Amino acid sequence: MDETRIAIRTRIKLAVLCATVFSVFYNVNAWYASTLDYVPSFIFSFEKYMPFMAWTVVPYMTSGALFVAVFFLCNTMQELRTLTKRVLLVSVVAGLFFLIFPLKFSFIKPDSTNTLFNFIFQFIEIVDSPFNEAPSLHIAFAFVFWSVFRNFTPTWRHVSAVWLVLLGISTLSTYQHHLLDVVTGAILGQLSFIIFPAQRNNFQVRNFHLANYYFLGGWLIVLLSLLVFEFYHASGFILLWPALVLFLVGYTYQKNNVHFLKNNLGTIPWYKKIVYFPYIGLYWLFWKFLRKNKKPIMLIPNLYISSRLDHSEFQNFKGNRNTLVYDLSAELEENKAIIQNCQYHAVPLLDIGAFDTIEIKRIVLEITTHYKELPKDGKILIHCTMGFTRSTFIGILVIKNILSLPLEEALLKIKTTHKDAVIHGYLQDFLKTINI
């Protein structure tokens, strides 16, 4: 009972702290903007077609209630601390933008035929400022709320997701914000996840941290697309394509969907090549011009690691039907010569992401078994896209297992053999947890 009361008291204190900081920044800046002779507005030309939907004022008004409730829905103290940091960051950063770049909403709000909705809009006019527009706090807070709501049971998670989407739409459909405010609010919310990540040192949630960078990149490109369209040319909307791809890849990282592109044959279906062209093309450029490990490196006799080989590099490697190739790349198709002439195994891993322990053990044990059964002219090649991290990681575990080496010796052997190996600290920590 004492622990429960302390937890509730702590939740109340943190909620009050955040509400106070928000109120001070919001109201002071609203007052300051009201004293200015002129406050500009920023409107994209197509926003005039945004319909006014009075009923969406209902989800719009729930933001305040959710602001308080979310502090009582956190499951752990760590989650509560992270929430508090994010809310404070959003409040302070948005407040600074309101002060330095004040903006005003400029559309005339139509009257509603519904008495209740009219009453709510009159209340909003009293408590809500026409200033303090970009970034939208409603949007930024909705992102922060979702970081807690996403831990609900599936049914309530879906309900809360729909409600937060409606809340986001309502900022436009109730004529409270312009599109610039919404996009910059999303950027600010996404930044709060990057600056204050949940479970910072937990390798198993690393993919969520990486996904936030993809999502942030997506929102930044959306903003760039809108600005190019408005001030340069309608072709700016084509930038929404790479933005969509970044959102899709971010979602892929969240789900750890290693087969989001390639099938078990090492090829990428034509329709995925079209949809993911910006992502695949960028990785191809990295592979073409930035990789260093172009010649397979022999770790122990007949066991090699490398980057993805092109046709001539594979010819120099002299692979044959007794050559086993383990392709860890999730981004690029395998070299057709390898697929046609070797025993090919597609075991993709997401670049610099978290790994599934069970799958890693399966891959390592399978390679170890095949290595011990290699015919006289047989060999094994393990490669990823660039040859820096994933192939190195699996190579360490394989030689550790084959030679029965302590982890430190396996690491030392890789570092002395593969000068371009990249073994991040988080990988070394993860290696210590794997027993094969």
Side-chain angles (χ1 to χ4, degrees), residues 313-380:
E313 291 159 358
F314 172 68
Q315 293 298 321
N316 294 332
F317 180 62
K318 298 179 180 179
N320 55 44
R321 294 307 304 173
N322 288 325
T323 299
L324 285 79
V325 177
Y326 282 83
D327 176 13
L328 308 177
S329 168
E331 307 83 22
L332 298 180
E333 282 190 321
E334 182 57 285
N335 186 327
K336 290 182 179 179
I338 288 179
I339 297 174
Q340 294 169 357
N341 296 289
C342 302
Q343 298 179 43
Y344 174 73
H345 300 267
V347 284
L349 302 174
L350 295 179
D351 196 10
I352 66 173
F355 304 136
D356 179 80
T357 303
I358 296 176
E359 178 64 6
I360 292 298
K361 288 182 178 180
R362 186 196 69 77
I363 294 171
V364 172
L365 290 174
E366 183 177 312
I367 295 174
T368 302
T369 300
H370 284 311
Y371 181 81
K372 294 177 180 179
E373 298 173 350
L374 280 176
K376 187 175 181 180
D377 63 341
K379 49 189 173 182
I380 295 177

Side-chain angles (χ1 to χ4, degrees), residues 9-10 22 73 78 102 118 151 165 170 197 204 213 235 247 258 278 296 313 323 335 351 385 412:
R9 191 180 305 122
T10 301
F22 159 73
L73 297 172
Q78 182 184 40
N118 272 331
N151 297 319
V165 169
S170 73
Q204 297 304 323
Y213 285 94
S235 60
F247 291 135
V258 296
E313 291 159 358
T323 299
N335 186 327
D351 196 10
T385 301
L412 180 61

Side-chain angles (χ1 to χ4, degrees), residues 14-201:
L14 293 178
V16 169
L17 170 65
C18 290
T20 302
V21 171
F22 159 73
S23 297
V24 169
F25 274 87
Y26 186 89
N27 291 307
V28 168
N29 283 304
W31 168 82
Y32 168 73
S34 68
T35 65
L36 298 177
D37 294 332
Y38 171 72
V39 178
S41 298
F42 189 100
I43 310 166
F44 293 105
S45 55
F46 55 84
E47 286 190 68
K48 61 185 178 182
Y49 300 109
M50 172 60 64
F52 177 77
M53 296 183 288
W55 67 268
T56 58
V57 74
V58 176
Y60 182 86
M61 285 297 293
T62 61
S63 181
L66 294 177
F67 184 101
V68 176
V70 71
F71 287 90
F72 297 88
L73 297 172
C74 295
N75 294 319
T76 66
M77 192 62 203
Q78 182 184 40
E79 187 180 17
L80 183 60
R81 289 195 189 99
T82 302
L83 169 70
T84 302
K85 292 174 183 177
R86 290 171 175 173
V87 171
L88 291 174
L89 175 73
V90 165
S91 300
V92 173
V93 172
L96 292 175
F97 271 89
F98 298 156
L99 178 65
I100 301 171
F101 306 107
L103 292 173
K104 182 178 180 180
F105 188 82
S106 59
F107 288 175
I108 298 175
K109 196 181 277 91
D111 290 330
S112 171
T113 57
N114 186 291
T115 305
L116 175 61
F117 294 158
N118 272 331
F119 174 78
I120 296 175
F121 279 115
Q122 290 171 9
F123 176 75
I124 289 177
E125 287 184 11
I126 297 173
V127 300
D128 214 352
S129 166
F131 310 107
N132 296 351
E133 291 291 295
S136 165
L137 282 170
H138 266 72
I139 298 295
F141 284 146
F143 273 66
V144 176
F145 298 160
W146 175 246
S147 68
V148 175
F149 297 167
R150 68 180 311 278
N151 297 319
F152 291 170
T153 59
T155 299
W156 283 108
R157 183 168 64 248
H158 294 150
V159 169
S160 61
V162 170
W163 193 258
L164 288 177
V165 169
L166 288 174
L167 192 157
I169 294 173
S170 73
T171 60
L172 298 172
S173 60
T174 57
Y175 284 12
Q176 291 296 125
H177 282 280
H178 293 300
L179 186 57
L180 175 71
D181 317 338
V182 172
V183 177
T184 52
I187 291 172
L188 178 55
Q190 206 65 62
L191 274 172
S192 74
F193 299 156
I194 293 173
I195 296 173
F196 295 116
Q199 304 181 51
R200 183 185 297 271
N201 297 319

Side-chain angles (χ1 to χ4, degrees), residues 289-307:
F289 299 107
L290 299 180
R291 67 191 175 108
K292 297 179 180 179
N293 185 14
K294 299 180 180 180
K295 181 180 179 180
I297 296 172
M298 187 171 68
L299 301 181
I300 55 178
N302 301 322
L303 178 66
Y304 301 81
I305 61 174
S306 75
S307 63

Side-chain angles (χ1 to χ4, degrees), residues 86 143 146-147 150-151 157 190 193 198 203-216 219 246-258 260 350-351 353-355:
R86 290 171 175 173
F143 273 66
W146 175 246
S147 68
R150 68 180 311 278
N151 297 319
R157 183 168 64 248
Q190 206 65 62
F193 299 156
F203 178 75
Q204 297 304 323
V205 297
R206 177 175 174 79
N207 280 5
F208 284 88
H209 302 332
L210 294 172
N212 286 327
Y213 285 94
Y214 281 105
F215 292 148
L216 176 62
W219 285 114
L246 286 173
F247 291 135
L248 290 174
V249 174
Y251 182 75
T252 290
Y253 268 79
Q254 282 191 338
K255 297 300 182 181
N256 195 30
N257 181 13
V258 296
F260 76 109
L350 295 179
D351 196 10
F355 304 136

